[in-house]
Amino acid sequence: MEVIYCPGEHEDPRPGRGALPPRAWTDRTDAKQLRLNGDWRFRLSPTAAVPGGDDFAKAAFDDDSEQWSNLPVPSHWVLHGHGKPAYVNIPYPFPVDPPFVPTENPTGDYRYTFDLPKDWDLNSGKTILRFDGVDSWCKVWVNGTLLGTSSGSRVPVEFVASTALRAGANILAVRVHQWSAGSYLEDQDQWWMPGIFRDVTLLHRPDGSVGDHFVHVSYDHETGAGTLKVDATPSGRVVIPELGIDAPTGTLVSVPHVKPWTAETPRLYAGHLVTTGERVSLSVGFRTVAIEDGVITVNGKRILFRGVNRHEFHPDTGRAVTRETMLQDVLLMKRHNINAVRTSHYPPHPHFLDLCDEYGLWVIDENDYETHGFEQLNWQGNPSSTAVWKDALLDRVGRMVERDKNHPSVIIWSLGNEAGPGENIGHMADWIRRRDPSRLIHYEGDKTCKYVDMYSRMYVTHAEVDALGRRQEDPLDDPELDKKRRAMPFILCEYIHAMGNGPGGQAEYQRLFEKYPRCQGGFVWEWIDHCFKKTTADGREYWAYGGDFDEEIHDGNFIVDGLLFPDRTPSPGLIEYKKVIEPVAITYAGNGQVSIYNNRDFASLDDLIFTYKLERAGRGIAGGPLAVPAVGPRQTVTVPLPALSTTKDEQVWTITAVLAEDTKWGSAGHEVAWGQFAATEAPHRPLAPTLIAPVVDKAAGVVTVGPAEFSIASGQLIKLGQLPVHGLNLDIWRATTDNDRGQEYFEGTCWADVWKEANLDKVKHRVNRVAVDGNTFVVETRAAAGSYNRGLLTTYTWTAVEDNGVHLGVKAVPDGDWGDMVLPRLGVRVGLPTSLDQVSWYGYGPGEAYPDTRTGVKLGVYNLSVDDLQTPYVFPQENGSRIDVRWAELAGLSGGLRVEGAPLFSFAARRWTTEQLQAARHTTDLVPGNQVWLNIDYAVNGIGTASCGEGVLPEHQLRVAETEFSVILRPT
Ligand code: GAL
């Protein structure tokens, strides 16, 4: 047999060939660099066996034929018309047969012609070619000379290119396979998107230039002294003018007084490292990371992570993110009080870490490693426990640590995500411990904490966090490991799953983090929705998710779970998170005083100014600056509020802490924290009935109660003043949220299924009796869903009240067996003319809020259009409810409706029905109909975070029970 083709190299589980040893990454050097980003020539082939073999790499190859086109680098070719992106969460999208991959293996050939700058000296030193990210495997040639191969999509690789290069024009050729052995190590929950997606750079390395350098720092919080030692090859000098340092590399320099680096106070000292051949800029941050008494400390203090998991994502460019986008992420994080990032689940573009150093964010830098698809195979053959993968794993973790070791922001190395257990995990941990003992090691998949420095979990319930806080968790079988783990700090590397409406229950988690020193906070899953724009046949844009690209295997909208919408607009979940994690707690201290607690770990509140505002029934009546004395970290002061005048109305204080001056990340006046509390409670207003009896007109078949007109036959409200009204009925249904559809941590109740099975979306209203009883008009009904014998005996009692109003009392009494059913909502729904398109209300806002997502909203008077009341979740679902509303008015060109709570209600108004909302898959499926549907709710069920995590906490559940509520309706 003569073998003429044997698939190959890219299925080798070992690291690539020909690369230079990894080293610290920097682009701040006086050595020459040439970015090779731009329009490259590109050809896509369906398999790795490309006709013509490697011929395309030859300098003389003709890439002008029609198979070739232009493709920007960096980019993913699937976002430029060559194939499509594909989304899968856990399973591999190809047969699991490691290290082999399918023969159908999209393969991109790239060619780029560039001129070497005239002053580039090829005869001195070396010239290196660096790729910062190629997904997933590449082979590189310069002018037809092979430089090497690389696997590891999100870690850099450098090749020596000197001898292959020549003066003038040069041809760089790269072959990239979408699938490779490395794909088995890169099964993160994200889009599969191949290509050269990060920068390509040519680096001149003059003789005597820095090969590698390692900045070692420490900070002694007791003396305020720092130490600095920069190891470098070759040796040179370290110069930090501000600290008077000019010392040889490799020596430990003590600095008696230095300002430490923390995420709150990101003090960097600029300097440089000089060798005979190069001058590299340094940004030195002095800090010491440790575990003391079972908690993670930085500079001697326990820190609390208010974190997010950040994937690199942009809706136009995928994981090829620009420096502007990276900055935008950092600014958005800082402006929303976020202090920590886990770079899930791979090292980010290195520039992002420069920004974290500069702006101040704690970073868990995570290895580009996940093998989650092996879980469904009981982890059989999993690379973490298979020797053949050891070198590849050490290679990629090494490339991360070497690249990122000089960032003060990086305080924890993570070995990867969801890659099961195994000795290779231990090998990676051992290697890091030897190379960089100054940082801590994390890996959530190490359930026994054999190899790591902290106990990390995801999506743990509040109750379990509470137990963990008390170090009362269930024991491990091995008593030694149990003892070790029980003494460790605890973090939630993922929690509160930001999919769709929610996540609920944030504030309850934060209280646990603040209660138990061991619980050092968490990282929300996740920062941004990963969606791409698509357009309907009639030209309307929508956000596409898994399955929208004809993927055979996909996980639908599970990729739409960010605190930011795909265009980086903050979602209500982020507004809630900003408030829940705010660094100042402002609460009423009693006796006309406000208590101000500095919830920061290091910084005072000197950067903030405080103001107060007093509102009466929603109207501002007083306000001004509030003098607050200096408050150190974790200290409280109490400050008297101005004197109050007595009034019969509800009065509310709002105290706000804003930036006193412009900072790097926010302008003066930016709101950092606030507190709101009652100054005088809302008075109880007794009903003012008119004592006018309902007027019955049997001939016309109607009854009139004040401004309201009813049908005798149906008992239905038909008109309010001149306003036609459609079907005011009890409503217990909502378009299910992702969290309703979730199963409480995969084992509990999926309420959406229970509600569907119970036909709660198909409630019928049988009229039992329509009666006039003295001054009231009474309609007795039984609201019940098909197929079951349970229902709600519902009585609507209507009474005319002063000022042209009608009081509606609703009483709902459970009938039959409801078990322990939770209801989506309990209230009434009414259809109104579409002309009523403007809403104002006095209640909480301006955003939506549910019982367990209501921390971030403020009591006030708000105005929004019906359209702007909607939260445009990518996957349409229940949204837009406003909570604890005192009154709401819907107005339009011709008349309107005012609803007054007796005392409070929630409302939602939309131009489509709940049924249409339930049926929609994309926002463009929602088409306004001929009614505005108004839900006036006594209560709505909480939201929870069961799309991945815990469901609605009992105190936020709407259980079936006898209920009475009332509102007053007035035509306006
Ligand atoms: C975790 C995983 C994340 C993401 C999340 C659910 O298990 O680490 O990558 O899949 O679940 O959205």
Side-chain angles (χ1 to χ4, degrees), residues 231-456:
D231 290 330
T233 43
S235 57
R237 291 198 78 76
V238 180
V239 184
I240 311 234
E242 197 183 344
L243 295 173
I245 296 176
D246 184 346
T249 55
T251 53
L252 186 73
V253 183
S254 299
V255 193
H257 297 292
V258 79
K259 292 203 169 111
W261 189 97
T262 72
E264 290 170 8
T265 56
R267 181 63 158 93
L268 294 173
Y269 289 89
H272 40 264
L273 160 64
V274 203
T275 59
T276 50
E278 190 180 14
R279 182 183 153 116
V280 172
S281 297
L282 300 175
S283 290
V284 178
F286 292 87
R287 51 121 190 81
T288 293
V289 185
I291 294 189
E292 295 167 273
D293 299 329
V295 298
I296 301 170
T297 61
V298 177
N299 304 335
K301 288 191 179 179
R302 168 191 184 254
I303 55 168
L304 183 57
F305 294 119
R306 302 168 170 96
V308 286
N309 280 280
R310 174 183 181 267
H311 265 289
E312 293 184 307
F313 190 78
H314 188 281
D316 296 332
T317 56
R319 283 188 290 278
V321 288
T322 60
R323 283 167 166 72
E324 291 70 45
T325 299
M326 298 176 212
L327 177 60
Q328 210 185 344
D329 278 351
V330 168
L331 293 177
L332 278 164
M333 287 176 192
K334 293 295 287 186
R335 289 173 189 161
H336 289 89
N337 297 331
I338 288 163
N339 74 356
V341 191
R342 174 175 176 234
T343 69
S344 55
H345 298 302
Y346 42 81
H349 188 291
H351 181 67
F352 179 75
L353 299 177
D354 287 341
L355 295 173
C356 294
D357 294 344
E358 189 182 333
Y359 286 82
L361 288 164
W362 307 118
V363 175
I364 300 184
D365 197 359
E366 190 149 273
N367 189 18
D368 188 8
Y369 181 44
E370 171 158 346
T371 62
H372 205 175
F374 281 90
E375 189 175 36
Q376 61 193 47
L377 310 171
N378 294 323
W379 299 110
Q380 268 177 33
N382 181 29
S384 295
S385 53
T386 313
V388 74
W389 295 97
K390 178 181 165 189
D391 290 348
L393 295 181
L394 286 172
D395 172 67
R396 58 182 60 207
V397 86
R399 281 152 79 186
M400 167 179 76
V401 171
E402 298 299 358
R403 190 194 77 164
D404 297 341
K405 59 186 179 269
N406 293 332
H407 289 283
S409 57
V410 175
I411 59 167
I412 298 174
W413 300 116
S414 176
L415 305 176
N417 182 57
E418 296 183 320
E423 53 283 11
N424 289 340
I425 301 290
H427 294 312
M428 287 193 281
D430 289 348
W431 182 85
I432 295 182
R433 271 207 185 90
R434 285 197 302 276
R435 180 66 178 139
D436 179 22
S438 76
R439 292 176 172 96
L440 306 177
I441 296 181
H442 166 271
Y443 173 55
E444 183 270 348
D446 180 8
K447 306 287 181 206
T448 62
C449 295
K450 190 170 169 192
Y451 305 119
V452 294
D453 294 320
M454 68 204 69
Y455 187 20
S456 171

Side-chain angles (χ1 to χ4, degrees), residues 89 189 345 372 417-418 458-459 494 497 525 558 561 948:
N89 171 13
D189 174 5
H345 298 302
H372 205 175
N417 182 57
E418 296 183 320
M458 4 174 124
Y459 309 111
E494 293 177 31
H497 193 246
W525 188 266
F558 208 60
D561 54 2
C948 189

Side-chain angles (χ1 to χ4, degrees), residues 690-740:
T690 58
L691 304 181
I692 301 170
V695 180
V696 180
D697 181 345
K698 283 199 174 152
V702 296
V703 176
T704 311
V705 184
E709 187 179 301
F710 299 86
S711 147
I712 295 179
S714 65
Q716 287 279 312
L717 176 66
I718 325 169
K719 253 166 81 181
L720 198 66
Q722 293 311 307
L723 193 73
V725 174
H726 184 87
L728 185 145
N729 277 318
L730 190 81
D731 193 3
I732 55 173
W733 174 247
R734 73 178 178 202
T736 48
T737 63
D738 290 309
N739 290 314
D740 292 336

